[in-house]
């Protein structure tokens, strides 16, 4: 048996092969470290190996954010060490999560593995269809293969037969026979299923269930698809205590699942004791103190009323009356699912075609109900049309305004940026776009006022520009100039393409002012570049001396530049500055052998603002920066510059600084040289840095750069030629994620950076498999989750190791994760929130122990009394107050 050595494997044995202390390959496990997360991960790998040896089946059910993927990779790596030609199949919910698995394999090899065998694992590309994955297995060129859980749902798309489940089973059996033939009838050496709670549903004639039973080999006498199966989910009792047995029955005989003591086939506690591993997450803070979720989670109820909008209140009253009539007409005992009614999230009209496309995409990619159409959708449509006919506008939903008030400060200042990131979950797709649009509009008002102040607009001019929706046409007409730079810069269409990663995004109008637009001679309106565009180009185009402004210093700390390049442009030579600066750094630090242009000496050295930013850093921050090699410093410089110029309010700050400086410069110093003018601007700006957004973003980018590279972007720290293009594609303060997943990775990267988006609005497509925790500690349940398992998965996007909360504890004694519930006072919306919180608090202790009762997804008929007492508040830290439900045991 090639797994025979696993019967007595210990955490000490595991730590001889791998380290879970990132970057410290000298780390070794020591008994008594059980509160340490790195120790728990080593224990987890050893215990899972023992379970797989004994039962051929294991369920890794650690709480969200504890590194389950790394533990699974540790098991896979040990398997390959014992059997070099082992074949492993990883099944995850979608292709994006499969791709994240590939990235985790790379990070594990680089920072954690130090075993005897350094032979790298060969990984196939993720395949969303079983046929493609199996064809890849047939080539025999890889160790690890990837496909999706929902590949099991689409096996009958081309069929017209009535018995879809039967056809799905037949097709799955054919595919299984093919792959088993490729594997010499022995099956995969290990099958890993991520987010295994997707397999909890067993009834109802589902095609996925029928296909899964056939493909995995459930049933007496059936040949299993794999010799060993590792299941992974943080919520094994996602909505019912029966979920555990339902998942395990695909891979274990029912006799093996029986509890011989209680004679109960579905005793979840017995099954988890036998097959499971479930530990609770602890965040390590200063002085070795550990914090569990009850120490930092703070739930907040945000009541919303119609007090400021009587017309909307009348509309809502009429809507509720008609809703009751509609329900009574259909059935006297009609019930509603949590969050299912559209009227408690949005009113009015929406882009119905876009919503329909999102819903279809979400269903096909994730198998989740997109809630694109509810029982009250047509009722709302009819009433909102009548309202529009009376008032020439659609009714205002008060929950929108309440959230936007929370998200967007009245004025952007460095002190307010620490809590600027917000994650919002909705149930209804219309809410995604509407919230995104409103947040961007409110940000436009804030940023537009800053620009207007720099332009010295009077109140009437400001109002006119705002009413034009911050139009570039209005701005050009107001300024009424056709000035170009003193060194004309060519129009560059590349910027426009960089800003169109997500064509459906509801963009900021202020952001658009900085975008290069193609000039259309047939356009009725003036679409020329604005003054904002021209200023932005000065800081971006290498032909402008101001492109030096955000370049790092020559020595990455304070050294100025002594020359620039010149290149032929038509009949004249033109200077290039930022390009020359980069070449000088790469040459100085031997990062690349570059053939450079003829150097043109300048009479005085040219500094950059980097020198003055670096001086503002604390000793700790300087030490963090200085420990990096030059390639990492160059990579960080690219990251910071891309974020500042394309994805932050700093561009508005730079515009205001430059416009005021340039105006005064033209009046009093019209004859100075470009070099002198640039140095004057540096001196004008440097005193402003201590209270600037530019400095805040510099510090924030520095603090988390390593984690962004290693844990999110999956790029090497020393990849100095990385241009961080993803940041350039998310240029609005708010963004959304619903049905379309093509920009999922770039959204995840951008939200984990300190740069835009500040607000991310998502449906259930971002509920699992996405890490959003580096910069954000605030999650808002605009539409409440359908069950406690979904709720915990949502919060788990932020509640993870290495999170912002984790960082707060490392820097001080206090951390906080805010969990917000906005609701409409004195309405059915309050009733459903009260009902949900009452059931959630009863379920939480059982959910931690994976013993959750069957969850009723319908709203209770009566409001829970004193329901606000169910809101969680941070508890006092008690030593040894956290007990793991199903720990690793090594007796």
């Amino acid at each position: 048996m090639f797994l025979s050595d696993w019967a007595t494997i210990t955490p000490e044995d595991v730590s001889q092969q791998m380290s879970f202390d990132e970057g410290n390959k000298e780390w070794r496990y020591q008994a008594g470290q059980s509160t340490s997360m790195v120790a728990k991960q080593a224990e987890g790998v050893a215990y899972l190996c023992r379970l797989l040896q004994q039962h051929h089946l294991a369920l890794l059910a650690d709480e969200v954010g504890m590194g389950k993927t790394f533990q699974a990779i540790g098991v896979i790596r040990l398997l390959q060490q014992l059997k070099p030609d082992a074949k492993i199949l990883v099944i995850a919910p979608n292709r994006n999560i499969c791709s994240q698995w590939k990235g985790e394999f790379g990070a594990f090899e680089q920072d954690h593995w130090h075993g005897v065998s350094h032979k790298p694992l060969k990984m196939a590309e993720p395949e969303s269809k079983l046929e493609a994955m199996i064809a890849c297995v047939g080539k025999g060129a890889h160790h690890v293969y990837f496909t999706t859980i929902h590949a099991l749902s689409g096996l009958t798309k081309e069929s017209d037969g009535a018995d879809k489940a039967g056809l799905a089973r037949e097709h799955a059996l054919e595919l299984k026979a093919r792959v088993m033939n490729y594997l010499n009838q022995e099956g995969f050496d290990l099958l890993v299923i991520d987010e295994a709670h997707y397999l909890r549903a067993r009834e109802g004639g589902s095609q996925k269930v029928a296909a899964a039973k056939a493909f995995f080999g459930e049933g007496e006498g059936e040949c299993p698809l794999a010799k060993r199966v590792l299941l992974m989910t943080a919520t094994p009792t996602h909505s019912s205590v029966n979920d555990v047995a339902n998942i395990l029955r695909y891979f274990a005989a029912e006799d093996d699942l029986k509890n011989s003591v209680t004679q109960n086939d579905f005793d979840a506690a017995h099954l988890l004791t036998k097959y499971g591993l479930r530990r609770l997450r602890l965040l390590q803070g200063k002085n070795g103190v550990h914090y569990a979720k009850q120490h930092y989670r703070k739930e907040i109820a945000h009541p919303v009323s119609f007090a400021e909008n009587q017309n909307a209140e009348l509309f809502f009253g009429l809507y509720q009356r008609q809703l009751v009539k509609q329900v009574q007409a259909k059935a006297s005992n009609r019930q509603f699912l949590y969050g299912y009614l559209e009227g408690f999230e949005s009113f009015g009209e929406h882009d119905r075609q876009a919503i329909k496309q999102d819903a279809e995409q979400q269903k096909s990619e994730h198998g989740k109900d997109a809630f694109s159409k509810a029982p009250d959708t047509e009722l709302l449509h009819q009433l909102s049309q009548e309202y529009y006919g009376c008032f020439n506008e659609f009714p205002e939903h008060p929950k929108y305004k309440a959230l936007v008030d929370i998200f967007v400060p009245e004025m952007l200042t460095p002190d307010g940026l620490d809590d600027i990131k917000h994650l919002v979950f909705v149930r209804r797709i219309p809410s995604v776009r509407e919230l995104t649009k409103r947040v961007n509009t409110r940000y436009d008002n804030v940023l537009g006022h800053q620009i207007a102040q720099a332009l010295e607009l009077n109140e009437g001019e400001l109002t006119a520009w705002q009413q034009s929706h911050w139009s570039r046409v209005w701005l050009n007409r107001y300024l009424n100039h056709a000035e170009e730079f003193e060194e004309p810069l060519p129009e560059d269409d590349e910027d426009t393409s960089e800003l169109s990663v997500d064509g459906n995004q509801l963009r900021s109008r202020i952001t658009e002012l900085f975008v290069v637009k193609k000039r259309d001679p047939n356009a009725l309106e003036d679409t020329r570049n604005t003054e904002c565009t021209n200023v932005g180009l000065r800081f971006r185009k290498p032909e402008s001396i101001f492109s030096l402004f955000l370049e790092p210093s020559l020595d990455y700390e304070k050294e100025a530049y002594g020359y620039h390049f010149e290149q032929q442009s038509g009949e004249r030579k033109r200077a290039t500055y930022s390009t020359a600066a980069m070449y000088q750094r790469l040459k100085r630090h031997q990062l690349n052998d570059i053939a450079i242009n003829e150097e043109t000496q300048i009479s005085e050295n040219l500094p950059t603002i980097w020198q003055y930013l670096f001086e503002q850093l604390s000793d700790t921050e300087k030490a963090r920066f200085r420990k990096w090699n030059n390639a990492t410093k160059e990579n960080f410089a690219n990251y910071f510059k891309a974020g500042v110029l394309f994805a932050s309010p700093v561009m508005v700050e730079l515009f205001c600084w430059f416009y005021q400086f340039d105006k005064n410069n033209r009046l009093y110093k019209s004859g100075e040289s470009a070099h002198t003018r640039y140095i004057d601007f540096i001196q004008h700006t440097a005193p402003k840095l201590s209270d600037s957004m530019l400095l805040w973003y510099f510090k924030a980018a520095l603090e988390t750069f390593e984690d962004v590279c290693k844990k999110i972007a999956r790029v090497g720290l020393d990849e100095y030629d990385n241009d961080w293009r993803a940041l350039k594609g998310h240029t609005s303060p708010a963004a959304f994620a619903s049905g379309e997943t093509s920009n999922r990775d770039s959204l995840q990267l951008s939200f984990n950076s300190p740069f835009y988006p500040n607000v991310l609005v998502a449906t259930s497509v971002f509920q699992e498999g996405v890490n959003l925790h580096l910069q954000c500690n605030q999650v808002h349940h605009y539409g409440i989750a359908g069950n406690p398992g979904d709720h915990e998965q949502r919060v788990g996007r932020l509640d993870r190791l290495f999170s912002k909360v984790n960082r707060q504890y490392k820097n001080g004694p206090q951390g906080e994760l805010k969990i917000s519930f906005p609701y409409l006072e004195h309405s059915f919306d309050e009733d459903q929130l009260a009902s949900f919180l009452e059931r959630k608090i009863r379920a939480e202790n059982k959910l931690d122990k994976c013993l959750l009762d069957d969850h009723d997804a319908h709203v209770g008929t009566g409001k829970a009394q004193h329901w606000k007492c169910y809101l969680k508040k941070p508890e006092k830290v008690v030593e040894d107050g956290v007990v793991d439900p199903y720990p690793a045991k090594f007796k």
Side-chain angles (χ1 to χ4, degrees), residues 335-355:
Q335 290 181 301
F336 290 108
L337 298 175
Y338 284 111
Y340 195 60
L341 287 175
E342 183 175 338
F344 295 100
E345 284 196 21
S346 60
F347 298 153
E349 288 300 285
H350 314 285
D351 184 344
R352 293 196 163 200
Q353 184 59 34
I355 291 168

Side-chain angles (χ1 to χ4, degrees), residues 57 59 91-93 148-153 191-203 206-213 215-216 218 229-233 235-236 238-239 242-251 768:
L57 176 63
L59 174 58
I91 302 181
T148 69
I149 291 174
H150 299 297
L152 297 164
S153 301
L191 168 63
V192 180
I193 300 183
D194 194 5
E195 308 293 358
H197 56 269
Y198 275 69
L199 298 175
R200 68 187 186 274
R202 301 275 305 188
E203 308 301 332
S206 164
Q207 297 178 53
K208 182 174 74 173
V209 172
K213 289 179 180 180
F215 193 65
F216 295 142
E218 178 183 336
V229 178
L230 173 59
L231 304 168
M232 299 166 56
T233 173
T235 52
H238 196 85
S239 56
N242 295 321
D243 290 348
V244 176
N246 286 344
I247 297 167
L248 293 175
R249 284 164 65 194
Y250 285 104
F251 311 101
E768 295 154 331

Side-chain angles (χ1 to χ4, degrees), residues 94 97 132 189 192 225 290 357 411 424 429 509 541 592 638 694:
N94 55 60
I97 298 179
D189 295 290
V192 180
L225 179 69
H290 290 83
Q357 291 174 354
M411 180 180 297
V424 192
I429 286 179
R509 299 300 297 268
K541 293 304 177 185
N592 203 344
N638 294 338
L694 181 61

Side-chain angles (χ1 to χ4, degrees), residues 49 135 179 222 472 497 588 597 608 625 636 697 794 871:
C49 287
V179 75
E222 294 291 337
R472 66 196 297 133
S497 64
R588 160 77 72 87
N597 300 331
T608 75
F625 181 81
F636 171 74
Y697 276 97
R794 288 178 171 192
L871 294 166

Side-chain angles (χ1 to χ4, degrees), residues 291-362:
Y291 301 87
K293 61 188 176 185
Q294 60 264 32
H295 301 139
Y296 53 80
R297 287 191 179 183
K298 182 179 181 180
E299 295 181 341
I300 305 166
H302 283 293
V304 175
S305 74
F306 292 91
E308 299 178 3
N309 193 330
Q310 291 184 343
N311 284 346
E313 184 174 17
L314 290 171
F315 175 88
F316 188 75
L318 180 60
Y319 155 72
Q320 286 208 114
R321 180 184 178 189
Q322 294 297 103
L323 185 63
V324 170
K325 287 184 177 180
Q326 185 183 85
V327 171
Q328 291 176 340
K330 291 185 177 180
S332 59
N333 60 346
R334 180 75 176 270
Q335 290 181 301
F336 290 108
L337 298 175
Y338 284 111
Y340 195 60
L341 287 175
E342 183 175 338
F344 295 100
E345 284 196 21
S346 60
F347 298 153
E349 288 300 285
H350 314 285
D351 184 344
R352 293 196 163 200
Q353 184 59 34
I355 291 168
K356 181 180 179 182
Q357 291 174 354
D358 273 1
E360 292 173 351
Q361 182 75 14
Q362 185 164 317

